[in-house]
Amino acid sequence: QWGRWVEIRVDDRLPTRDERPAYMHCAQPDIFWAALLEKAYAKLYGGYAFLKYGSIGRALQDLSGAVVQSVPPSAPLLGGAVPRSTLLLAMTSADKGTKRRRTGGLLSEHPYCVTGLARVRTTNNSESSESSGNSNDTNLVRLRSPWAGGEYGGVWNGAWSERSWEWNALGERDRELLASRSQHEGEFWMAVPEFLQRFTVIWLAHIGPDDWALEPALHSRAPWRAALAMRQWRSGFNAGGPHKHIETTATNPQFRIRVPNGNPGKAHVVVAVAQKYECYRTRGNENEPIGFTIYEVPPGMPRVTPQYVNEQMPLDFAELQSLREVVTFFALPPGDFVVLPHSTQHREGKFLLRILADQHADVWEVNEDNLVIHNISAEFCDERAIDCRFIYKLRTRYPPEIDAVQLQQILRSAQVGLTKSLKTFTSVHGPSLDLCRALLALRDPALGGRLTIDSVPSLVSLLKFWKAAFRRCGPSTSGTLTLTRSIWNTKVSSYALRGLLWAGGATASNKVLEALVSRFSRDKQITLEGYLMSMARLHLAHDRYHSLDAKAKANPLTLEEMILMTIYS
């Protein structure tokens, strides 16, 4: 269940009807494993009555823990899946006017296990053919009926069945070899073209490497290489929706797949996105739409950006479907690819991403380091532009050290020689007391709650640079900028916060960015005040961490932990 096994305990009491088992049972009356398995499965869903809402794919997923998908049958698919640790179930088509049995002995609308493949060379026994040496290669598929030995049978009786004349065209050695491979009751061979004609869908259950190691019956098949991640979509942070939402889809969680050069042929890759679900009393109509998009990217590109989404078409995508899990099979050449799992825009929820590959491929989540450039404002702001009269008035009107309240008065004063917008500060618009406390802490390493008056101009320059970055990048990345008389009333989509941080000279990891959005945004929007608080807290956390790291021999905290603690302080 959602990537983990669930233990179900049942007793040996089975429901009966007229002194016979009421539900699934074996032909032999002293064998009860099938009935007990069904009882445990029914308990998982809340009762026998809820099993009628199930499907073959859901049962395969629940009982095997595999990545399950349904595809139309094809010969290349059989050749690629059968040698792997993948279980295959083929479903016959429906015959009109027949209740169960169809032409050739197959059962209508019933699953058959695909257990093997073979290629044989047949020769015509006629004298003319023998003299000419004509021969044909025939591809065969081996299947097993679920009703073998039972009332319905369901065993194929057409070409290449057990007593068909086609076996006479094989050599004795080939006949013995294929007969030895078909030792289980109910197994039979049929030609691949006949199979493609009579079966309409194939269910693939890709077994992960952990479960493959626990099942000896699969050790003859090559295992998959697997990578999985449990993440969540958060509204305003990374619930960007499908690729049609150009401005926000790049905020979805991104996972990179790198297929290295030197591999023989293309890499077969299975991408599966499952949403959080509960088996108990589910009827299949509780699922929300989910999907994913995959882009091919240049090797030096760190992440998919809104600009890249706008300019490039995705390599492929799984459309939004209200399913428990969405699965797609790819054949990827050497290169770099980025997978973006998504749901509908702004929809929150947890998801499980599983990526399987048949050869070596590097898979990792796209993430940034936590970095800040402390002197970036000095590179863009000329300190000579600071009005000397402003410094002189600060020294004459305020004491050598000021507190957060006095800093707020200075920043809200019309005497601050910045831009016209800063001259419009009033008691309503302008930096709050909390922001002033955070700015003061940047220049207060002694933790005394005081700031020297000579440090105010540098803080003003830093504020000016951050405000310019907010004004410059907000409209271009979010498209939701609402201009009013004061920039302090401006609101920008919180999905654009990563770009705003970068414009202000900082980068944040996914976890830190999520915490910033949760802390300083509201209704999927962030104001200038929230942006400035984010920048101030990031700088403060970096300063405190490096100060602690220099003093302590062994720092018990990581930089990310320090940032998360500072954000919520």
Side-chain angles (χ1 to χ4, degrees):
Q1 179 174 322
W2 208 57
R4 62 182 180 88
W5 289 104
V6 178
E7 182 178 340
I8 303 295
R9 297 187 178 185
V10 296
D11 54 33
D12 57 358
R13 298 179 179 179
L14 299 174
T16 60
R17 183 181 296 114
D18 297 332
E19 298 184 355
R20 297 184 61 183
Y23 300 104
M24 185 169 65
H25 57 277
C26 297
Q28 301 178 11
D30 58 342
I31 298 180
F32 299 99
W33 68 266
L36 292 173
L37 177 61
E38 184 188 35
K39 181 177 181 179
Y41 193 54
K43 183 178 179 180
L44 177 66
Y45 278 91
Y48 285 93
F50 291 93
L51 295 185
K52 66 180 180 180
Y53 300 107
S55 63
I56 293 178
R58 176 171 291 191
L60 275 176
Q61 186 183 60
D62 291 336
L63 298 178
S64 67
V67 174
V68 179
Q69 65 176 132
S70 61
V71 293
S74 66
L77 173 69
L78 293 175
V82 170
R84 292 282 160 193
S85 58
T86 297
L87 307 179
L88 290 87
L89 267 70
M91 181 72 71
T92 54
S93 58
D95 274 357
K96 296 182 179 180
T98 59
K99 293 183 177 180
R100 188 168 294 274
R101 192 179 300 277
R102 60 173 296 169
T103 305
L106 298 178
L107 301 176
S108 176
E109 294 185 284
H110 268 66
Y112 285 76
C113 297
V114 179
T115 59
L117 292 173
R119 174 177 291 181
V120 296
R121 176 160 295 183
T122 60
T123 58
N124 197 321
N125 291 331
S126 63
E127 294 182 0
S128 60
S129 297
E130 289 181 357
S131 61
S132 60
N134 291 335
S135 62
N136 298 316
D137 287 342
T138 302
N139 293 320
L140 302 178
V141 58
R142 187 179 63 205
L143 298 101
R144 187 178 184 184
S145 170
W147 297 97
E151 177 183 357
Y152 301 106
V155 177
W156 170 246
N157 56 22
W160 294 101
S161 60
E162 185 176 2
R163 294 180 177 84
S164 65
W165 62 267
E166 284 82 5
W167 293 100
N168 298 329
L170 292 182
E172 182 178 357
R173 181 179 178 183
D174 290 340
R175 286 198 301 268
E176 293 178 354
L177 180 61
L178 293 183
S180 63
R181 294 183 180 180
S182 181
Q183 297 178 348
H184 297 284
E185 185 179 9
E187 280 191 329
F188 56 88
W189 294 93
M190 66 187 308
V192 170
E194 188 81 26
F195 169 84
L196 299 179
Q197 180 182 355
R198 295 182 178 271
F199 290 82
T200 58
V201 65
I202 293 182
W203 290 91
L204 304 176
H206 308 290
I207 307 298
D210 294 337
D211 296 325
W212 174 88
L214 299 175
E215 183 52 62
L218 294 175
H219 289 178
S220 60
R221 302 186 180 188
W224 291 97
R225 302 169 184 262
L228 63 87
M230 293 183 181
R231 297 294 185 268
Q232 63 179 346
W233 294 295
R234 292 286 299 273
S235 178
F237 166 55
N238 63 353
H243 63 280
K244 68 179 181 179
H245 299 285
I246 298 176
E247 297 172 349
T248 59
T249 189
T251 63
N252 285 301
Q254 299 187 18
F255 297 86
R256 200 178 191 96
I257 303 175
R258 175 168 293 169
V259 180
N261 293 314
N263 290 334
K266 295 183 178 180
H268 294 161
V269 178
V270 179
V271 179
V273 178
Q275 59 183 312
K276 181 68 174 179
Y277 62 88
E278 297 291 341
C279 290
Y280 185 68
R281 297 184 183 274
T282 56
R283 293 177 171 82
N285 58 355
E286 74 287 351
N287 296 321
E288 298 289 341
I290 57 173
F292 64 85
T293 308
I294 181 169
Y295 288 90
E296 185 174 7
V297 297
M301 187 175 184
R303 70 162 46 241
V304 173
T305 62
Q307 180 181 1
Y308 190 83
V309 173
N310 188 38
E311 297 174 353
Q312 301 291 331
M313 291 295 294
L315 178 67
D316 202 351
F317 62 92
E319 295 184 355
L320 288 173
Q321 302 178 67
S322 297
L323 300 175
R324 175 190 288 185
E325 186 171 37
V326 176
V327 186
T328 304
F329 181 90
F330 300 98
L332 300 180
D336 284 34
F337 308 87
V338 175
V339 179
L340 284 78
H342 61 74
S343 183
T344 55
Q345 191 181 34
H346 309 317
R347 182 239 166 183
E348 295 190 343
K350 296 182 179 180
F351 69 91
L352 170 65
L353 173 69
R354 290 187 283 184
I355 299 177
L356 307 179
D358 67 342
Q359 54 184 271
H360 175 71
D362 299 321
V363 180
W364 69 92
E365 183 178 7
V366 177
N367 203 355
E368 278 80 25
D369 294 329
N370 292 295
L371 298 173
V372 295
I373 303 176
H374 291 276
N375 58 345
I376 189 171
S377 61
E379 298 180 6
F380 295 91
C381 300
D382 188 1
E383 293 186 0
R384 293 175 300 178
I386 299 177
D387 194 348
C388 295
R389 291 177 299 175
F390 167 59
I391 301 177
Y392 174 76
K393 290 180 179 180
L394 288 178
R395 292 177 177 174
T396 56
R397 295 188 179 185
Y398 294 94
E401 292 185 346
I402 60 175
D403 57 14
V405 174
Q406 292 169 320
L407 178 62
Q408 184 185 36
Q409 295 174 357
I410 294 174
L411 295 179
R412 287 187 173 185
S413 172
Q415 300 177 14
V416 177
L418 297 178
T419 62
K420 293 182 179 180
S421 62
L422 281 176
K423 293 181 180 181
T424 61
F425 287 170
T426 65
S427 59
V428 178
H429 304 300
S432 66
L433 187 59
D434 288 338
L435 175 59
C436 292
R437 290 193 180 105
L439 293 173
L440 186 147
L442 295 179
R443 299 293 187 268
D444 183 24
L447 306 180
R450 311 290 292 182
L451 174 70
T452 60
I453 198 67
D454 293 336
S455 300
V456 172
S458 63
L459 280 180
V460 169
S461 299
L462 190 60
L463 272 179
K464 179 180 178 181
F465 175 76
W466 288 346
K467 184 178 70 68
F470 182 83
R471 183 194 294 272
R472 181 175 64 254
C473 298
S476 62
T477 56
S478 68
T480 60
L481 184 63
T482 304
L483 294 178
T484 61
R485 291 185 305 171
S486 172
I487 193 174
W488 293 93
N489 290 331
T490 300
K491 294 181 180 179
V492 175
S493 171
S494 58
Y495 291 103
L497 183 56
R498 188 186 298 274
L500 290 173
L501 295 181
W502 185 86
T507 61
S509 65
N510 295 335
K511 186 63 178 177
V512 170
L513 188 64
E514 180 180 5
L516 290 173
V517 171
S518 176
R519 179 68 174 82
F520 300 114
S521 70
R522 184 177 182 181
D523 296 331
K524 300 182 288 295
Q525 293 182 323
I526 188 169
T527 61
L528 175 61
E529 173 87 10
Y531 170 63
L532 296 178
M533 285 291 295
S534 300
M535 295 300 300
R537 292 293 174 87
L538 286 178
H539 277 255
L540 180 61
H542 279 265
D543 292 342
R544 293 291 185 265
Y545 176 79
H546 293 301
S547 176
L548 180 62
D549 193 48
K551 296 178 180 178
K553 295 182 179 179
N555 193 343
L557 297 176
T558 65
L559 176 59
E560 186 174 78
E561 291 172 340
M562 176 63 77
I563 295 175
L564 294 176
M565 292 173 58
T566 306
I567 290 174
Y568 286 98
S569 61

